[in-house]
Amino acid sequence: QGEYLKFLNDDDQMLPTCMEVIDKKLSAAEEIYHSPIGVVTCAAEYIAEDGRYVKRDRPGTNLGFSDFFVFADDIAFLWCVSAIPLRTPTHMVYNRQAALELGGFSESLHYIRDVDLALKIASLQGALVIDSEPLVRFMFHANQDVKAISVKTRILDQLDVKRWAINKALSKSLKINGDAALGEVCFR
């Protein structure tokens, strides 16, 4: 029903200010850029199964703990070089209309469907990165369910999404070393 979708795994939590902060920052960004924002990605606290604090998930930027907007034309390139974070659905808010127009999560992928959808939406409408404070708690499990997906399938899915992003960046006449970007998937 709303303009944006927020998914939350059954054992993850939104911190008390999550929706208020996202709403405020989304409204400000939409006013500045005069258009809907495709994706919001935020920092998270990682919590172990026993309730112990593990770490603060920090988007990989050189900007420190700050909030910033990434234009649609720059998303694919910056994601390929790991300069912007697109993580799990718990970390993200998706523009509902864009998600519907793209057909939702890709059925051809078994792994990183969430990142694929976020990347494609953000490539249309940009992304707002909220890194100034964690807004969600992500329960980190020693035996995450991705272990049920073979390593080969995970790598192939990551390569498919990375290839899409490389082609998108190249279509914008951005210079990117596709081999290095693809190789990074294999070494992660």
Side-chain angles (χ1 to χ4, degrees):
Q1 288 226 348
E3 192 175 342
Y4 290 90
L5 300 170
K6 174 78 179 110
F7 296 97
L8 196 64
N9 294 334
D10 63 351
D11 59 350
D12 296 339
Q13 303 169 341
M14 287 189 285
L15 294 172
T17 61
C18 179
M19 294 314 292
E20 178 185 341
V21 169
I22 288 173
D23 184 52
K24 180 178 164 187
K25 294 187 185 237
L26 253 176
S27 295
E30 288 176 339
E31 190 171 309
I32 291 169
Y33 299 106
H34 306 290
S35 70
I37 305 301
V39 174
V40 177
T41 182
C42 67
E45 293 178 349
Y46 278 50
I47 308 296
E49 291 175 277
D50 61 7
R52 184 178 35 88
Y53 177 84
V54 176
K55 66 179 181 174
R56 179 194 194 276
D57 174 26
R58 182 172 186 270
T61 72
N62 295 326
L63 300 175
F65 297 122
S66 61
D67 304 333
F68 56 95
F69 180 76
V70 182
F71 289 97
D73 285 349
D74 299 326
I75 291 288
F77 173 79
L78 291 173
W79 183 77
C80 280
V81 297
S82 301
I84 58 165
L86 295 175
R87 306 251 196 280
T88 71
T90 296
H91 293 78
M92 293 188 278
V93 174
Y94 303 84
N95 180 291
R96 181 178 180 274
Q97 188 59 41
L100 290 171
E101 288 172 10
L102 288 168
F105 295 112
S106 172
E107 294 297 321
S108 67
L109 297 172
H110 304 286
Y111 181 67
I112 71 168
R113 290 179 179 146
D114 43 7
V115 173
D116 176 66
L117 180 60
L119 184 60
K120 289 177 178 172
I121 292 172
S123 291
L124 298 172
Q125 298 176 323
L128 177 62
V129 177
I130 301 176
D131 191 28
S132 55
E133 63 182 293
L135 298 177
V136 294
R137 278 199 183 107
F138 183 83
M139 298 305 284
F140 184 77
H141 302 281
N143 296 315
Q144 294 283 70
D145 63 348
V146 298
K147 304 279 188 217
I149 302 170
S150 73
V151 171
K152 178 181 177 181
T153 298
R154 285 185 273 162
I155 290 173
L156 290 174
D157 282 0
Q158 288 177 2
L159 289 171
D160 283 348
V161 174
K162 192 69 92 162
R163 275 191 208 98
W164 181 91
I166 290 166
N167 289 332
K168 186 74 166 176
L170 291 172
S171 76
K172 304 285 183 187
S173 299
L174 296 170
K175 295 190 186 300
I176 186 165
N177 182 332
D179 291 338
L182 289 173
E184 182 263 341
V185 167
C186 297
F187 291 107
R188 245 189 312 147

Coordinates of all heavy atoms in Angstrom, one line a residue, residues 67-133:
D67 N 25.8 10.3 5.7 CA 24.7 9.9 4.8 C 24.9 10.6 3.4 O 25.4 11.7 3.4 CB 23.3 10.4 5.4 CG 23.1 9.9 6.8 OD1 23.6 8.8 7.1 OD2 22.4 10.6 7.5
F68 N 24.6 9.9 2.4 CA 24.8 10.5 1.1 C 23.9 9.9 0.0 O 23.4 8.8 0.2 CB 26.3 10.4 0.6 CG 26.8 9.0 0.6 CD1 26.8 8.2 -0.6 CD2 27.3 8.4 1.8 CE1 27.3 7.0 -0.6 CE2 27.9 7.1 1.7 CZ 27.8 6.4 0.6
F69 N 23.7 10.6 -1.1 CA 22.9 10.1 -2.2 C 23.8 9.7 -3.3 O 24.8 10.4 -3.6 CB 21.9 11.3 -2.6 CG 21.1 10.9 -3.8 CD1 20.0 10.0 -3.6 CD2 21.3 11.3 -5.1 CE1 19.1 9.6 -4.6 CE2 20.5 10.9 -6.1 CZ 19.4 10.1 -5.9
V70 N 23.4 8.6 -4.0 CA 24.2 8.2 -5.2 C 23.2 8.3 -6.4 O 22.2 7.7 -6.4 CB 24.7 6.8 -5.0 CG1 25.5 6.3 -6.2 CG2 25.6 6.6 -3.8
F71 N 23.6 9.0 -7.4 CA 22.8 9.1 -8.6 C 22.7 7.8 -9.4 O 23.6 7.0 -9.4 CB 23.3 10.2 -9.5 CG 23.2 11.6 -8.9 CD1 24.2 12.2 -8.3 CD2 22.0 12.3 -9.1 CE1 24.0 13.5 -7.7 CE2 21.8 13.5 -8.5 CZ 22.8 14.1 -7.8
A72 N 21.6 7.7 -10.0 CA 21.3 6.4 -10.7 C 22.4 6.0 -11.7 O 22.8 4.9 -11.8 CB 19.9 6.5 -11.5
D73 N 22.9 7.0 -12.5 CA 23.9 6.7 -13.5 C 25.2 6.2 -12.8 O 26.1 5.6 -13.5 CB 24.3 8.0 -14.3 CG 23.2 8.3 -15.3 OD1 22.3 7.4 -15.5 OD2 23.2 9.4 -15.9
D74 N 25.4 6.4 -11.6 CA 26.7 6.0 -10.9 C 26.6 4.7 -10.1 O 27.6 4.2 -9.7 CB 27.2 7.1 -10.0 CG 27.4 8.5 -10.7 OD1 27.9 8.4 -11.8 OD2 27.2 9.5 -10.1
I75 N 25.4 4.2 -9.9 CA 25.1 3.1 -9.0 C 25.9 1.8 -9.5 O 26.7 1.2 -8.7 CB 23.6 2.7 -8.9 CG1 22.9 3.8 -8.2 CG2 23.4 1.3 -8.4 CD1 23.1 3.8 -6.7
A76 N 25.8 1.4 -10.7 CA 26.4 0.2 -11.2 C 27.9 0.2 -11.0 O 28.5 -0.7 -10.5 CB 26.0 -0.1 -12.6
F77 N 28.5 1.3 -11.5 CA 30.0 1.4 -11.3 C 30.4 1.4 -9.9 O 31.3 0.6 -9.5 CB 30.4 2.7 -12.0 CG 31.9 3.0 -11.8 CD1 32.9 2.3 -12.5 CD2 32.3 3.9 -10.8 CE1 34.2 2.6 -12.3 CE2 33.7 4.1 -10.5 CZ 34.6 3.5 -11.3
L78 N 29.8 2.2 -9.0 CA 30.2 2.3 -7.6 C 30.0 0.9 -6.9 O 30.7 0.5 -6.1 CB 29.5 3.4 -6.9 CG 29.9 4.8 -7.4 CD1 29.1 5.9 -6.8 CD2 31.4 5.0 -7.1
W79 N 28.9 0.2 -7.3 CA 28.7 -1.1 -6.7 C 29.7 -2.1 -7.1 O 30.2 -2.9 -6.3 CB 27.3 -1.6 -7.0 CG 27.0 -2.9 -6.3 CD1 26.7 -3.1 -5.0 CD2 27.0 -4.2 -6.9 NE1 26.5 -4.5 -4.7 CE2 26.7 -5.1 -5.9 CE3 27.3 -4.7 -8.2 CZ2 26.6 -6.5 -6.1 CZ3 27.2 -6.0 -8.4 CH2 26.9 -6.9 -7.4
C80 N 30.1 -2.0 -8.4 CA 31.1 -2.9 -8.9 C 32.5 -2.8 -8.2 O 33.2 -3.7 -8.0 CB 31.3 -2.7 -10.4 SG 30.1 -3.5 -11.5
V81 N 32.8 -1.6 -7.8 CA 34.1 -1.3 -7.1 C 33.9 -1.3 -5.6 O 34.7 -0.8 -4.9 CB 34.8 -0.1 -7.6 CG1 35.1 -0.2 -9.1 CG2 33.9 1.2 -7.4
S82 N 32.7 -1.8 -5.1 CA 32.5 -2.0 -3.7 C 32.5 -0.6 -2.9 O 32.8 -0.6 -1.8 CB 33.4 -2.9 -3.0 OG 33.3 -4.2 -3.6
A83 N 32.1 0.5 -3.6 CA 32.1 1.8 -3.0 C 30.7 2.1 -2.3 O 30.7 3.0 -1.6 CB 32.4 2.9 -4.0
I84 N 29.7 1.4 -2.7 CA 28.4 1.6 -2.0 C 27.9 0.2 -1.5 O 28.1 -0.8 -2.2 CB 27.4 2.3 -2.9 CG1 27.1 1.5 -4.2 CG2 27.8 3.7 -3.2 CD1 25.9 1.9 -4.9
P85 N 27.2 0.2 -0.4 CA 26.7 -1.0 0.1 C 25.2 -1.3 -0.3 O 24.4 -0.4 -0.3 CB 26.6 -0.7 1.6 CG 26.4 0.7 1.7 CD 27.0 1.4 0.5
L86 N 25.0 -2.4 -0.8 CA 23.6 -2.9 -1.0 C 23.7 -4.3 -0.4 O 24.4 -5.2 -0.8 CB 23.3 -3.0 -2.5 CG 23.2 -1.7 -3.2 CD1 23.0 -1.9 -4.7 CD2 22.1 -0.8 -2.7
R87 N 22.9 -4.5 0.7 CA 23.1 -5.6 1.5 C 21.8 -6.5 1.5 O 21.1 -6.6 0.5 CB 23.4 -5.2 3.0 CG 24.7 -4.3 3.1 CD 25.8 -5.1 3.7 NE 26.9 -4.2 4.1 CZ 27.8 -3.7 3.4 NH1 27.8 -3.9 2.1 NH2 28.8 -3.0 3.9
T88 N 21.4 -7.0 2.7 CA 20.2 -7.8 2.8 C 18.9 -6.9 2.9 O 19.0 -5.7 3.1 CB 20.2 -8.6 4.1 OG1 20.1 -7.7 5.2 CG2 21.6 -9.3 4.3
P89 N 17.8 -7.5 2.7 CA 16.5 -6.7 2.7 C 16.4 -6.0 4.1 O 15.8 -5.0 4.1 CB 15.4 -7.8 2.6 CG 16.1 -8.9 1.8 CD 17.5 -8.9 2.3
T90 N 16.9 -6.6 5.2 CA 16.8 -5.9 6.5 C 17.5 -4.6 6.4 O 17.1 -3.6 7.0 CB 17.5 -6.8 7.5 OG1 16.7 -8.0 7.7 CG2 17.5 -6.1 8.9
H91 N 18.5 -4.4 5.6 CA 19.3 -3.2 5.5 C 18.6 -2.2 4.6 O 19.0 -1.0 4.5 CB 20.7 -3.4 4.9 CG 21.6 -4.2 5.8 ND1 21.5 -5.6 5.9 CD2 22.6 -3.8 6.6 CE1 22.4 -6.0 6.8 NE2 23.1 -5.0 7.2
M92 N 17.6 -2.6 3.7 CA 17.2 -1.8 2.6 C 15.7 -1.5 2.7 O 14.9 -2.2 3.3 CB 17.5 -2.5 1.3 CG 19.0 -2.5 1.1 SD 19.5 -3.1 -0.6 CE 19.3 -4.8 -0.4
V93 N 15.4 -0.4 2.0 CA 14.0 0.0 1.7 C 13.9 0.2 0.2 O 14.8 0.8 -0.4 CB 13.6 1.4 2.4 CG1 12.3 1.8 2.0 CG2 13.7 1.2 3.9
Y94 N 12.9 -0.4 -0.4 CA 12.8 -0.4 -1.9 C 11.6 0.5 -2.3 O 10.5 0.5 -1.6 CB 12.5 -1.8 -2.4 CG 13.4 -2.9 -2.0 CD1 13.4 -3.6 -0.8 CD2 14.4 -3.2 -2.9 CE1 14.3 -4.6 -0.5 CE2 15.3 -4.3 -2.6 CZ 15.3 -4.9 -1.4 OH 16.1 -5.9 -1.1
N95 N 11.8 1.2 -3.4 CA 10.6 2.0 -3.9 C 9.6 0.9 -4.5 O 10.0 0.1 -5.4 CB 11.1 2.9 -5.1 CG 10.0 3.7 -5.7 OD1 9.2 3.1 -6.4 ND2 10.0 5.0 -5.4
R96 N 8.4 0.9 -4.0 CA 7.4 -0.1 -4.3 C 7.1 -0.1 -5.8 O 7.1 -1.2 -6.4 CB 6.2 0.1 -3.4 CG 5.1 -0.9 -3.7 CD 3.9 -0.5 -2.7 NE 2.8 -1.5 -2.9 CZ 1.9 -1.4 -3.8 NH1 1.9 -0.3 -4.7 NH2 1.0 -2.3 -4.0
Q97 N 6.8 1.0 -6.4 CA 6.4 1.1 -7.8 C 7.5 0.5 -8.7 O 7.3 -0.2 -9.6 CB 6.0 2.5 -8.2 CG 5.4 2.6 -9.6 CD 4.1 1.7 -9.7 OE1 3.3 1.6 -8.8 NE2 4.0 1.0 -10.8
A98 N 8.8 0.9 -8.4 CA 9.9 0.5 -9.2 C 10.0 -1.1 -9.1 O 10.3 -1.7 -10.0 CB 11.2 1.2 -8.8
A99 N 9.9 -1.6 -7.8 CA 10.0 -3.0 -7.6 C 8.9 -3.8 -8.4 O 9.2 -4.8 -9.0 CB 9.9 -3.3 -6.1
L100 N 7.7 -3.2 -8.4 CA 6.6 -3.9 -9.2 C 6.9 -3.8 -10.7 O 6.7 -4.8 -11.4 CB 5.3 -3.2 -8.9 CG 4.7 -3.4 -7.5 CD1 3.5 -2.5 -7.2 CD2 4.4 -4.9 -7.3
E101 N 7.4 -2.7 -11.2 CA 7.6 -2.5 -12.6 C 8.8 -3.5 -13.1 O 8.8 -3.9 -14.2 CB 8.0 -1.1 -12.9 CG 6.8 -0.1 -12.9 CD 7.1 1.3 -13.0 OE1 8.3 1.7 -13.3 OE2 6.2 2.1 -12.8
L102 N 9.7 -3.8 -12.2 CA 10.8 -4.7 -12.5 C 10.4 -6.1 -12.3 O 11.2 -7.0 -12.6 CB 12.0 -4.3 -11.7 CG 12.7 -3.0 -12.1 CD1 13.8 -2.6 -11.1 CD2 13.4 -3.2 -13.5
G103 N 9.2 -6.4 -11.8 CA 8.8 -7.7 -11.6 C 9.2 -8.4 -10.3 O 9.1 -9.6 -10.1
G104 N 9.7 -7.6 -9.3 CA 10.1 -8.1 -8.0 C 11.4 -8.8 -8.1 O 12.2 -8.6 -9.0
F105 N 11.6 -9.7 -7.1 CA 12.8 -10.5 -7.0 C 13.0 -11.5 -8.2 O 12.0 -12.1 -8.6 CB 12.9 -11.3 -5.7 CG 12.9 -10.4 -4.5 CD1 11.9 -10.4 -3.6 CD2 14.0 -9.6 -4.2 CE1 11.9 -9.6 -2.5 CE2 14.1 -8.8 -3.1 CZ 13.0 -8.8 -2.2
S106 N 14.2 -11.6 -8.8 CA 14.4 -12.4 -9.9 C 14.3 -13.9 -9.5 O 15.0 -14.4 -8.6 CB 15.8 -12.2 -10.5 OG 16.1 -13.1 -11.4
E107 N 13.5 -14.6 -10.2 CA 13.3 -16.1 -10.0 C 14.5 -16.9 -10.5 O 14.7 -18.0 -10.1 CB 12.0 -16.6 -10.6 CG 10.8 -16.0 -10.0 CD 10.6 -16.4 -8.5 OE1 10.9 -17.5 -8.1 OE2 10.2 -15.5 -7.7
S108 N 15.3 -16.3 -11.4 CA 16.4 -17.0 -12.0 C 17.6 -17.1 -11.0 O 18.5 -17.8 -11.2 CB 16.9 -16.4 -13.3 OG 17.4 -15.1 -13.1
L109 N 17.6 -16.3 -10.0 CA 18.7 -16.3 -9.0 C 18.3 -17.1 -7.7 O 17.1 -17.0 -7.3 CB 19.0 -14.8 -8.6 CG 19.6 -13.9 -9.7 CD1 19.7 -12.5 -9.2 CD2 20.9 -14.4 -10.2
H110 N 19.2 -17.7 -7.2 CA 19.0 -18.5 -5.9 C 19.6 -17.7 -4.7 O 19.4 -18.1 -3.6 CB 19.6 -19.9 -6.0 CG 19.0 -20.6 -7.2 ND1 17.8 -21.1 -7.2 CD2 19.6 -20.9 -8.4 CE1 17.5 -21.7 -8.4 NE2 18.6 -21.6 -9.1
Y111 N 20.5 -16.8 -5.0 CA 21.3 -16.1 -4.0 C 21.3 -14.6 -4.5 O 21.3 -14.4 -5.7 CB 22.6 -16.8 -4.0 CG 23.6 -16.2 -3.0 CD1 23.4 -16.3 -1.6 CD2 24.8 -15.5 -3.4 CE1 24.3 -15.8 -0.7 CE2 25.7 -15.0 -2.5 CZ 25.4 -15.2 -1.1 OH 26.3 -14.6 -0.2
I112 N 21.4 -13.7 -3.6 CA 21.5 -12.3 -3.8 C 20.4 -11.7 -4.6 O 20.6 -10.7 -5.3 CB 22.9 -11.8 -4.2 CG1 23.3 -12.1 -5.6 CG2 24.0 -12.2 -3.3 CD1 24.5 -11.4 -6.1
R113 N 19.2 -12.3 -4.6 CA 18.0 -11.7 -5.3 C 17.8 -10.3 -4.8 O 17.4 -9.4 -5.5 CB 16.8 -12.5 -5.0 CG 16.8 -13.8 -5.6 CD 15.5 -14.5 -5.3 NE 15.4 -15.8 -5.9 CZ 14.9 -16.9 -5.4 NH1 14.3 -16.9 -4.2 NH2 14.9 -18.0 -6.1
D114 N 18.0 -10.1 -3.5 CA 17.7 -8.8 -2.8 C 18.7 -7.7 -3.4 O 18.3 -6.6 -3.7 CB 17.8 -8.9 -1.3 CG 19.0 -9.7 -0.9 OD1 19.9 -10.1 -1.7 OD2 19.1 -10.0 0.4
V115 N 19.9 -8.0 -3.5 CA 20.9 -7.1 -4.0 C 20.6 -6.8 -5.5 O 20.7 -5.7 -5.9 CB 22.4 -7.7 -3.8 CG1 23.4 -6.8 -4.5 CG2 22.7 -7.8 -2.3
D116 N 20.3 -7.8 -6.2 CA 20.0 -7.7 -7.7 C 18.8 -6.7 -7.8 O 18.9 -5.7 -8.6 CB 19.6 -9.0 -8.3 CG 19.2 -9.0 -9.7 OD1 20.0 -8.6 -10.6 OD2 18.0 -9.3 -10.0
L117 N 17.8 -6.9 -7.1 CA 16.6 -6.0 -7.2 C 17.0 -4.5 -6.7 O 16.7 -3.6 -7.4 CB 15.4 -6.5 -6.3 CG 14.2 -5.6 -6.4 CD1 13.6 -5.5 -7.8 CD2 13.1 -6.2 -5.4
A118 N 17.7 -4.4 -5.6 CA 18.1 -3.1 -5.2 C 19.0 -2.4 -6.2 O 18.8 -1.2 -6.5 CB 18.9 -3.2 -3.8
L119 N 19.9 -3.1 -6.8 CA 20.8 -2.6 -7.8 C 20.0 -2.1 -9.0 O 20.3 -1.0 -9.5 CB 21.8 -3.7 -8.2 CG 22.9 -3.3 -9.2 CD1 23.8 -2.2 -8.6 CD2 23.8 -4.5 -9.5
K120 N 19.1 -2.9 -9.5 CA 18.3 -2.5 -10.7 C 17.4 -1.3 -10.4 O 17.2 -0.4 -11.2 CB 17.5 -3.7 -11.2 CG 18.5 -4.7 -11.8 CD 17.8 -5.9 -12.3 CE 18.9 -6.8 -13.0 NZ 18.4 -8.1 -13.3
I121 N 16.8 -1.3 -9.2 CA 15.9 -0.1 -8.8 C 16.8 1.2 -8.7 O 16.5 2.2 -9.2 CB 15.2 -0.4 -7.5 CG1 14.1 -1.4 -7.7 CG2 14.5 0.9 -7.0 CD1 13.5 -1.9 -6.4
A122 N 17.9 1.0 -8.0 CA 18.8 2.2 -7.8 C 19.4 2.7 -9.1 O 19.7 3.9 -9.3 CB 19.9 1.8 -6.8
S123 N 19.6 1.8 -10.1 CA 20.1 2.2 -11.4 C 19.0 3.0 -12.1 O 19.4 3.7 -13.1 CB 20.4 1.0 -12.2 OG 21.6 0.3 -11.6
L124 N 17.8 3.0 -11.7 CA 16.7 3.8 -12.3 C 16.5 5.1 -11.5 O 16.2 6.1 -12.1 CB 15.4 3.0 -12.3 CG 15.4 1.7 -13.2 CD1 14.0 1.0 -12.9 CD2 15.5 2.1 -14.6
Q125 N 16.6 5.0 -10.2 CA 16.2 6.1 -9.4 C 17.2 6.6 -8.3 O 16.9 7.4 -7.5 CB 14.9 5.8 -8.7 CG 13.7 5.6 -9.6 CD 12.4 5.1 -8.9 OE1 12.5 4.4 -7.9 NE2 11.3 5.6 -9.4
G126 N 18.4 6.0 -8.3 CA 19.4 6.4 -7.3 C 19.2 5.7 -5.9 O 18.2 5.0 -5.7
A127 N 20.1 5.9 -5.0 CA 20.1 5.3 -3.7 C 20.5 6.3 -2.7 O 21.4 7.1 -2.9 CB 21.0 4.1 -3.7
L128 N 19.9 6.2 -1.5 CA 20.2 7.0 -0.4 C 20.9 6.1 0.6 O 20.3 5.1 1.0 CB 19.0 7.6 0.3 CG 19.1 8.4 1.5 CD1 20.0 9.6 1.3 CD2 17.8 8.9 2.1
V129 N 22.1 6.4 1.0 CA 22.9 5.6 2.0 C 22.8 6.3 3.3 O 23.3 7.5 3.4 CB 24.3 5.4 1.5 CG1 25.1 4.7 2.5 CG2 24.4 4.7 0.1
I130 N 22.3 5.7 4.3 CA 22.2 6.2 5.7 C 23.2 5.5 6.5 O 23.0 4.3 6.8 CB 20.8 6.1 6.3 CG1 19.8 6.9 5.4 CG2 20.8 6.7 7.7 CD1 18.3 6.7 5.8
D131 N 24.3 6.1 6.8 CA 25.4 5.5 7.5 C 25.7 6.2 8.8 O 26.6 5.8 9.5 CB 26.7 5.5 6.6 CG 27.8 4.6 7.1 OD1 27.5 3.6 7.8 OD2 29.0 4.9 6.8
S132 N 25.0 7.3 9.1 CA 25.3 8.0 10.3 C 25.0 7.3 11.6 O 25.6 7.6 12.6 CB 24.6 9.4 10.2 OG 23.2 9.2 10.0
E133 N 24.0 6.4 11.5 CA 23.7 5.6 12.7 C 23.0 4.3 12.2 O 22.3 4.3 11.2 CB 22.7 6.4 13.5 CG 21.3 6.7 12.8 CD 20.4 7.5 13.7 OE1 19.9 7.0 14.7 OE2 20.1 8.6 13.3

